[in-house]
Every structure is written in C-alpha cells, then in structure tokens.
Amino acid sequence: MPAAVLPTLRDGDVTLRPIRARDAKPLERVLLDNRGWLRRWEATYPGGGGVIDTRASIRSLTAHARAGHGLPFVIEVDGRLVGQLNVSSIAYGSLSSATIGYWVAQDVAGRGITPTAVALATDYCFRTLRLHRMEICIRPENGPSLRVVEKLGFRYEGLRRRFIHIDGDWRDHFAFALVAEEVPGGVLARWRSGRVPEGVAQVSPDDRAAAAHPLRPADR
C-alpha cells in the first residue's frame, strides 16, 4: 500500500497539518492542560497504564502514515495547536474506506473548529485519495462529538458493543458514516450552505436504550 501524501488543509483560521516530531512538547502541554476534559474519551490499552508519551505516539502515527494506513494531523487555530485529527485504517481497493478520530482543547470547543477539521479531512479522502466510505465511531456519552456528526450529516449506522478500549474499559460506540455519493459537492460546502439533511445522524431509540445498559463480561 503506498504512503498517502500528507497535505496541509485550511479553511479560515482552521488548519490541519501533518504531525511532526517537534510537536511532542506542545502536544503534551495541551493534553495535560485538558486531562479532565479528555480523559473519558482517550483510547487505552487493556492492562496498560495511562502515561502520556507524545513522542512514542507521534512515532507510531508517522509509521502508520509511511505504511499508507493513516493520515495523522494536528489541528491549529491561528497557528496555535489545539487538537489532533487522525485518519486511520485506510484501505483501498474493493473497500476504499477509512476511520476518523479527533479531539480538541476545551477552550476552543463549540466554535465549529472540529466539524471544520473533520469536513476538510473527509473531503480530502474522498476527492484526492478516492476513498468511498468514511466512518466515525463515538461513545454514547460524548455529546460534543455526537453534535459534530449531526452538523456534518454523517449517517447513523448502528451500535457497536464493547468496541474500543477507552478510559480503562471496553466501551460501546455509535457508528456513523458517509459515502462519497452522498456528498458530491463536498462535506464542508454542504454544511456551510445549510444543505445537510435533517435526522440522518439520529440514533435509534432501541440503540439508545441498549447503550444505557452496557454489556458486562459473563460471570464465570
């Protein structure tokens, strides 16, 4: 699989640029300053610790990018690093899909920065990489992230039980996706023009009820 070119993408004061080794210190600072805001949504390793190692994380992300499996970005606003966005699990051929994950600092949340970054990345994947499907999976409790997919019109696809290890346990996630045919003019343009269809990101009542009662390992 060829390594995807890591672009720099901009819209207004929001910039998505490739993550670099020298981002380790500023990234660590933002993560530590936002521990209370981010901890509930951070991916963890079963049986592992919670130490922040931004250098190791950046090395891993760039290795995946060189292998053609990911696009690791930092999010900047007016030149200030405020978050990350990672396109992962890139597959070509008959699947032609990828997954998006993201976070932003608490002091810039609610300003449209995250949906702008997600739209920029999705448009790049559809138009330049010629991918067909983009997916975002979100914990049921993560209201701000659920509002991102609602704003952009990612379509709700279902509940994934104990899907990703987050904050020390296997957590349920709601899955949302877009395929290229749904946004021929681009995700960002559709959102900005107010043409996002209503209700496509709405979670079914049955799945909301199921998510309120997480599965637990069976007693032995």
Side-chain angles (χ1 to χ4, degrees):
M1 182 183 299
V5 175
L6 285 168
T8 295
L9 308 171
R10 294 186 176 88
D11 181 76
D13 59 357
V14 177
T15 299
L16 273 184
R17 66 159 175 81
I19 199 166
R20 303 179 293 229
R22 63 177 176 270
D23 291 319
K25 276 293 184 186
L27 185 59
E28 180 181 273
R29 191 176 310 117
V30 177
L31 286 168
L32 290 172
D33 287 347
N34 287 270
R35 289 303 286 154
W37 167 251
L38 296 174
R39 187 188 301 271
R40 292 183 66 198
W41 323 120
E42 289 178 353
T44 47
Y45 292 96
V51 176
I52 293 176
D53 188 342
T54 51
R55 286 184 175 84
S57 175
I58 291 171
R59 284 196 299 269
S60 176
L61 289 169
T62 53
H64 278 85
R66 286 194 298 272
H69 300 306
L71 298 172
F73 296 102
V74 294
I75 304 170
E76 293 181 334
V77 176
D78 291 328
R80 173 192 160 208
L81 194 157
V82 298
Q84 284 182 266
L85 183 146
N86 190 39
V87 180
S88 62
S89 302
I90 296 176
Y92 295 96
S94 58
L95 189 57
S96 293
S97 70
T99 299
I100 293 180
Y102 48 82
W103 63 265
V104 294
Q106 185 173 12
D107 68 322
V108 299
R111 290 171 43 185
I113 292 163
T114 305
T116 298
V118 171
L120 285 168
T122 302
D123 285 343
Y124 177 80
C125 288
F126 282 158
R127 293 171 170 171
T128 303
L129 299 189
R130 312 305 295 177
L131 296 182
H132 178 250
R133 181 179 182 276
M134 300 298 291
E135 179 176 280
I136 298 175
C137 293
I138 302 170
R139 284 187 60 184
E141 305 88 348
N142 193 341
S145 198
L146 291 171
R147 285 192 288 277
V148 170
V149 292
E150 182 180 0
K151 287 178 180 179
L152 296 180
F154 274 71
R155 180 176 22 79
Y156 179 64
E157 290 198 331
L159 171 64
R160 297 189 176 180
R161 287 297 207 175
R162 296 178 66 79
F163 181 54
I164 304 175
H165 205 271
I166 301 283
D167 191 26
D169 200 358
W170 295 103
R171 309 290 184 177
D172 292 349
H173 282 67
F174 293 144
F176 303 84
L178 276 177
V179 295
E181 294 90 336
E182 293 176 276
V183 283
V187 181
L188 186 64
R190 186 178 74 163
W191 173 42
R192 290 285 167 76
S193 64
R195 291 183 287 110
V196 174
E198 293 185 10
V200 294
Q202 185 172 345
V203 177
S204 70
D206 286 348
D207 284 353
R208 282 204 177 276
H213 301 281
L215 294 177
R216 297 299 175 197
D219 292 335
R220 295 180 184 270

Short mmCIF file of all heavy atoms in Angstrom, two decimals, residues 72-116:
data_model
loop_
_atom_site.label_atom_id
_atom_site.label_comp_id
_atom_site.label_asym_id
_atom_site.label_seq_id
_atom_site.Cartn_x
_atom_site.Cartn_y
_atom_site.Cartn_z
N PRO A 72 -2.01 11.37 9.97
CA PRO A 72 -2.02 11.99 11.29
C PRO A 72 -1.84 13.51 11.20
O PRO A 72 -0.85 14.00 10.67
CB PRO A 72 -0.83 11.34 11.99
CG PRO A 72 0.13 11.01 10.88
CD PRO A 72 -0.70 10.81 9.63
N PHE A 73 -2.82 14.24 11.72
CA PHE A 73 -2.80 15.69 11.67
C PHE A 73 -2.82 16.28 13.08
O PHE A 73 -3.33 15.66 14.02
CB PHE A 73 -4.05 16.23 10.96
CG PHE A 73 -4.18 15.87 9.53
CD1 PHE A 73 -5.04 14.85 9.13
CD2 PHE A 73 -3.48 16.56 8.55
CE1 PHE A 73 -5.20 14.53 7.79
CE2 PHE A 73 -3.62 16.25 7.20
CZ PHE A 73 -4.48 15.22 6.82
N VAL A 74 -2.33 17.51 13.19
CA VAL A 74 -2.68 18.36 14.33
C VAL A 74 -3.64 19.42 13.81
O VAL A 74 -3.63 19.78 12.63
CB VAL A 74 -1.45 19.02 14.99
CG1 VAL A 74 -0.56 17.98 15.63
CG2 VAL A 74 -0.67 19.88 14.01
N ILE A 75 -4.50 19.89 14.72
CA ILE A 75 -5.43 20.97 14.41
C ILE A 75 -4.89 22.26 14.99
O ILE A 75 -4.56 22.30 16.19
CB ILE A 75 -6.83 20.68 14.99
CG1 ILE A 75 -7.37 19.33 14.50
CG2 ILE A 75 -7.80 21.81 14.64
CD1 ILE A 75 -8.64 18.89 15.22
N GLU A 76 -4.77 23.28 14.17
CA GLU A 76 -4.32 24.58 14.64
C GLU A 76 -5.39 25.63 14.37
O GLU A 76 -6.11 25.55 13.38
CB GLU A 76 -3.03 25.00 13.92
CG GLU A 76 -1.83 24.14 14.26
CD GLU A 76 -0.56 24.60 13.55
OE1 GLU A 76 -0.68 25.22 12.46
OE2 GLU A 76 0.52 24.33 14.06
N VAL A 77 -5.47 26.59 15.27
CA VAL A 77 -6.32 27.77 15.08
C VAL A 77 -5.45 29.00 15.23
O VAL A 77 -4.82 29.19 16.27
CB VAL A 77 -7.48 27.80 16.09
CG1 VAL A 77 -8.29 29.08 15.94
CG2 VAL A 77 -8.38 26.59 15.93
N ASP A 78 -5.36 29.78 14.16
CA ASP A 78 -4.47 30.95 14.15
C ASP A 78 -3.05 30.58 14.58
O ASP A 78 -2.40 31.30 15.33
CB ASP A 78 -5.02 32.06 15.06
CG ASP A 78 -6.29 32.69 14.50
OD1 ASP A 78 -6.41 32.77 13.27
OD2 ASP A 78 -7.15 33.10 15.30
N GLY A 79 -2.59 29.42 14.12
CA GLY A 79 -1.23 28.99 14.40
C GLY A 79 -1.00 28.30 15.73
O GLY A 79 0.10 27.83 16.01
N ARG A 80 -2.04 28.20 16.55
CA ARG A 80 -1.92 27.56 17.86
C ARG A 80 -2.42 26.13 17.80
O ARG A 80 -3.51 25.87 17.31
CB ARG A 80 -2.72 28.35 18.89
CG ARG A 80 -2.83 27.70 20.26
CD ARG A 80 -3.88 28.39 21.11
NE ARG A 80 -4.32 27.54 22.20
CZ ARG A 80 -5.52 27.60 22.76
NH1 ARG A 80 -6.40 28.49 22.33
NH2 ARG A 80 -5.85 26.79 23.74
N LEU A 81 -1.63 25.18 18.30
CA LEU A 81 -2.03 23.78 18.32
C LEU A 81 -3.14 23.59 19.35
O LEU A 81 -2.95 23.87 20.54
CB LEU A 81 -0.82 22.90 18.67
CG LEU A 81 -0.95 21.40 18.43
CD1 LEU A 81 0.44 20.76 18.28
CD2 LEU A 81 -1.72 20.69 19.53
N VAL A 82 -4.31 23.09 18.89
CA VAL A 82 -5.46 22.94 19.78
C VAL A 82 -6.04 21.53 19.78
O VAL A 82 -7.01 21.26 20.49
CB VAL A 82 -6.57 23.95 19.45
CG1 VAL A 82 -6.08 25.39 19.61
CG2 VAL A 82 -7.13 23.70 18.04
N GLY A 83 -5.47 20.62 18.97
CA GLY A 83 -6.04 19.28 18.95
C GLY A 83 -5.39 18.39 17.92
O GLY A 83 -4.37 18.75 17.30
N GLN A 84 -5.97 17.23 17.74
CA GLN A 84 -5.50 16.26 16.76
C GLN A 84 -6.67 15.69 15.97
O GLN A 84 -7.79 15.61 16.49
CB GLN A 84 -4.79 15.09 17.44
CG GLN A 84 -3.39 15.36 17.93
CD GLN A 84 -2.79 14.11 18.55
OE1 GLN A 84 -2.87 13.91 19.77
NE2 GLN A 84 -2.18 13.26 17.73
N LEU A 85 -6.38 15.27 14.76
CA LEU A 85 -7.31 14.50 13.95
C LEU A 85 -6.50 13.42 13.25
O LEU A 85 -5.46 13.71 12.66
CB LEU A 85 -8.03 15.37 12.93
CG LEU A 85 -9.09 14.65 12.07
CD1 LEU A 85 -10.26 15.59 11.75
CD2 LEU A 85 -8.50 14.10 10.78
N ASN A 86 -6.98 12.20 13.34
CA ASN A 86 -6.26 11.09 12.74
C ASN A 86 -7.19 10.31 11.82
O ASN A 86 -8.25 9.85 12.25
CB ASN A 86 -5.71 10.16 13.83
CG ASN A 86 -4.76 9.12 13.27
OD1 ASN A 86 -3.96 9.42 12.37
ND2 ASN A 86 -4.82 7.91 13.77
N VAL A 87 -6.79 10.19 10.56
CA VAL A 87 -7.46 9.28 9.64
C VAL A 87 -6.72 7.95 9.73
O VAL A 87 -5.52 7.89 9.47
CB VAL A 87 -7.43 9.81 8.19
CG1 VAL A 87 -8.14 8.84 7.25
CG2 VAL A 87 -8.08 11.19 8.11
N SER A 88 -7.42 6.90 10.11
CA SER A 88 -6.77 5.61 10.35
C SER A 88 -7.47 4.50 9.59
O SER A 88 -8.53 4.71 8.97
CB SER A 88 -6.76 5.29 11.85
OG SER A 88 -8.09 5.17 12.34
N SER A 89 -6.86 3.33 9.62
CA SER A 89 -7.42 2.13 8.97
C SER A 89 -7.74 2.37 7.50
O SER A 89 -8.76 1.91 6.99
CB SER A 89 -8.67 1.64 9.71
OG SER A 89 -8.39 1.37 11.07
N ILE A 90 -6.87 3.12 6.82
CA ILE A 90 -7.09 3.39 5.40
C ILE A 90 -6.96 2.08 4.62
O ILE A 90 -5.97 1.36 4.74
CB ILE A 90 -6.10 4.43 4.86
CG1 ILE A 90 -6.33 5.79 5.55
CG2 ILE A 90 -6.24 4.58 3.35
CD1 ILE A 90 -5.33 6.85 5.14
N ALA A 91 -7.98 1.79 3.83
CA ALA A 91 -7.97 0.61 2.96
C ALA A 91 -8.36 1.04 1.56
O ALA A 91 -9.25 1.88 1.38
CB ALA A 91 -8.93 -0.46 3.47
N TYR A 92 -7.70 0.48 0.57
CA TYR A 92 -8.00 0.81 -0.81
C TYR A 92 -8.71 -0.38 -1.48
O TYR A 92 -9.23 -1.26 -0.81
CB TYR A 92 -6.72 1.20 -1.55
CG TYR A 92 -6.09 2.46 -1.02
CD1 TYR A 92 -5.07 2.41 -0.08
CD2 TYR A 92 -6.55 3.70 -1.43
CE1 TYR A 92 -4.49 3.58 0.42
CE2 TYR A 92 -5.98 4.88 -0.95
CZ TYR A 92 -4.95 4.81 -0.02
OH TYR A 92 -4.40 5.96 0.47
N GLY A 93 -8.77 -0.37 -2.79
CA GLY A 93 -9.36 -1.50 -3.49
C GLY A 93 -10.86 -1.58 -3.30
O GLY A 93 -11.57 -0.58 -3.31
N SER A 94 -11.35 -2.81 -3.10
CA SER A 94 -12.79 -3.03 -3.05
C SER A 94 -13.44 -2.44 -1.80
O SER A 94 -14.66 -2.25 -1.77
CB SER A 94 -13.10 -4.53 -3.11
OG SER A 94 -12.45 -5.21 -2.05
N LEU A 95 -12.66 -2.10 -0.77
CA LEU A 95 -13.21 -1.49 0.45
C LEU A 95 -13.12 0.03 0.37
O LEU A 95 -14.10 0.74 0.59
CB LEU A 95 -12.47 -2.01 1.67
CG LEU A 95 -13.05 -1.64 3.05
CD1 LEU A 95 -14.51 -2.09 3.16
CD2 LEU A 95 -12.22 -2.27 4.16
N SER A 96 -11.95 0.57 0.10
CA SER A 96 -11.73 2.01 -0.08
C SER A 96 -12.40 2.83 1.02
O SER A 96 -13.30 3.63 0.78
CB SER A 96 -12.24 2.47 -1.46
OG SER A 96 -11.46 1.92 -2.48
N SER A 97 -11.94 2.61 2.24
CA SER A 97 -12.56 3.27 3.39
C SER A 97 -11.51 3.69 4.40
O SER A 97 -10.34 3.32 4.30
CB SER A 97 -13.57 2.34 4.06
OG SER A 97 -12.89 1.28 4.72
N ALA A 98 -11.95 4.48 5.38
CA ALA A 98 -11.08 4.90 6.48
C ALA A 98 -11.94 5.34 7.64
O ALA A 98 -13.16 5.53 7.51
CB ALA A 98 -10.15 6.03 6.04
N THR A 99 -11.29 5.52 8.78
CA THR A 99 -11.95 5.94 10.01
C THR A 99 -11.32 7.24 10.49
O THR A 99 -10.12 7.45 10.33
CB THR A 99 -11.79 4.86 11.10
OG1 THR A 99 -12.41 3.66 10.65
CG2 THR A 99 -12.43 5.29 12.40
N ILE A 100 -12.14 8.12 11.08
CA ILE A 100 -11.65 9.39 11.60
C ILE A 100 -11.85 9.44 13.12
O ILE A 100 -12.92 9.10 13.64
CB ILE A 100 -12.39 10.58 10.97
CG1 ILE A 100 -12.06 10.68 9.47
CG2 ILE A 100 -12.02 11.90 11.66
CD1 ILE A 100 -12.75 11.84 8.77
N GLY A 101 -10.80 9.86 13.82
CA GLY A 101 -10.88 10.16 15.25
C GLY A 101 -10.30 11.54 15.51
O GLY A 101 -9.45 12.02 14.74
N TYR A 102 -10.74 12.21 16.57
CA TYR A 102 -10.31 13.59 16.78
C TYR A 102 -10.51 14.00 18.24
O TYR A 102 -11.27 13.38 18.98
CB TYR A 102 -11.11 14.54 15.89
CG TYR A 102 -12.60 14.29 15.93
CD1 TYR A 102 -13.40 14.80 16.95
CD2 TYR A 102 -13.22 13.50 14.96
CE1 TYR A 102 -14.76 14.54 17.01
CE2 TYR A 102 -14.57 13.24 14.99
CZ TYR A 102 -15.34 13.76 16.02
OH TYR A 102 -16.69 13.49 16.09
N TRP A 103 -9.83 15.08 18.62
CA TRP A 103 -10.10 15.76 19.90
C TRP A 103 -9.64 17.20 19.76
O TRP A 103 -8.76 17.51 18.95
CB TRP A 103 -9.41 15.08 21.08
CG TRP A 103 -7.89 15.08 21.03
CD1 TRP A 103 -7.10 14.07 20.55
CD2 TRP A 103 -7.00 16.12 21.46
NE1 TRP A 103 -5.77 14.42 20.65
CE2 TRP A 103 -5.69 15.66 21.21
CE3 TRP A 103 -7.19 17.37 22.04
CZ2 TRP A 103 -4.56 16.44 21.51
CZ3 TRP A 103 -6.08 18.14 22.33
CH2 TRP A 103 -4.78 17.67 22.08
N VAL A 104 -10.25 18.09 20.56
CA VAL A 104 -9.80 19.48 20.64
C VAL A 104 -9.79 19.92 22.09
O VAL A 104 -10.46 19.34 22.95
CB VAL A 104 -10.68 20.45 19.83
CG1 VAL A 104 -10.58 20.16 18.34
CG2 VAL A 104 -12.11 20.44 20.31
N ALA A 105 -9.01 20.95 22.37
CA ALA A 105 -8.93 21.52 23.71
C ALA A 105 -10.28 22.11 24.11
O ALA A 105 -11.05 22.59 23.27
CB ALA A 105 -7.85 22.60 23.76
N GLN A 106 -10.54 22.10 25.41
CA GLN A 106 -11.84 22.53 25.91
C GLN A 106 -12.12 23.99 25.59
O GLN A 106 -13.26 24.37 25.31
CB GLN A 106 -11.92 22.30 27.42
CG GLN A 106 -13.28 22.60 28.02
CD GLN A 106 -13.37 22.20 29.47
OE1 GLN A 106 -12.36 21.90 30.11
NE2 GLN A 106 -14.57 22.20 30.02
N ASP A 107 -11.09 24.85 25.60
CA ASP A 107 -11.34 26.28 25.43
C ASP A 107 -11.70 26.66 24.00
O ASP A 107 -12.11 27.81 23.74
CB ASP A 107 -10.15 27.11 25.92
CG ASP A 107 -8.92 26.93 25.07
OD1 ASP A 107 -8.66 25.80 24.60
OD2 ASP A 107 -8.19 27.93 24.86
N VAL A 108 -11.57 25.73 23.04
CA VAL A 108 -11.98 26.04 21.67
C VAL A 108 -13.17 25.19 21.23
O VAL A 108 -13.63 25.31 20.09
CB VAL A 108 -10.82 25.86 20.67
CG1 VAL A 108 -9.66 26.78 21.01
CG2 VAL A 108 -10.36 24.41 20.61
N ALA A 109 -13.68 24.36 22.13
CA ALA A 109 -14.83 23.53 21.78
C ALA A 109 -16.06 24.41 21.54
O ALA A 109 -16.23 25.46 22.16
CB ALA A 109 -15.11 22.53 22.91
N GLY A 110 -16.93 23.97 20.64
CA GLY A 110 -18.17 24.69 20.37
C GLY A 110 -18.04 25.85 19.42
O GLY A 110 -19.01 26.59 19.22
N ARG A 111 -16.86 26.00 18.80
CA ARG A 111 -16.64 27.12 17.87
C ARG A 111 -16.65 26.69 16.41
O ARG A 111 -16.30 27.47 15.53
CB ARG A 111 -15.31 27.81 18.20
CG ARG A 111 -15.32 28.57 19.51
CD ARG A 111 -13.94 29.06 19.92
NE ARG A 111 -13.17 29.62 18.81
CZ ARG A 111 -11.90 30.02 18.93
NH1 ARG A 111 -11.28 29.90 20.11
NH2 ARG A 111 -11.27 30.52 17.90
N GLY A 112 -17.04 25.45 16.15
CA GLY A 112 -17.07 24.97 14.78
C GLY A 112 -15.74 24.48 14.26
O GLY A 112 -15.61 24.14 13.08
N ILE A 113 -14.73 24.42 15.14
CA ILE A 113 -13.39 24.01 14.71
C ILE A 113 -13.35 22.52 14.37
O ILE A 113 -12.80 22.12 13.33
CB ILE A 113 -12.37 24.35 15.82
CG1 ILE A 113 -12.24 25.87 15.93
CG2 ILE A 113 -11.01 23.70 15.53
CD1 ILE A 113 -11.60 26.34 17.22
N THR A 114 -13.94 21.69 15.22
CA THR A 114 -13.90 20.25 14.98
C THR A 114 -14.66 19.86 13.72
O THR A 114 -14.13 19.13 12.88
CB THR A 114 -14.42 19.48 16.20
OG1 THR A 114 -13.69 19.87 17.36
CG2 THR A 114 -14.24 17.98 15.99
N PRO A 115 -15.91 20.29 13.53
CA PRO A 115 -16.58 19.93 12.27
C PRO A 115 -15.84 20.44 11.04
O PRO A 115 -15.83 19.77 10.00
CB PRO A 115 -17.98 20.54 12.39
CG PRO A 115 -17.93 21.46 13.55
CD PRO A 115 -16.83 21.00 14.44
N THR A 116 -15.22 21.61 11.13
CA THR A 116 -14.44 22.10 10.00
C THR A 116 -13.28 21.16 9.70
O THR A 116 -13.03 20.80 8.54
CB THR A 116 -13.90 23.52 10.30
OG1 THR A 116 -14.99 24.42 10.48
CG2 THR A 116 -13.02 24.03 9.16
#
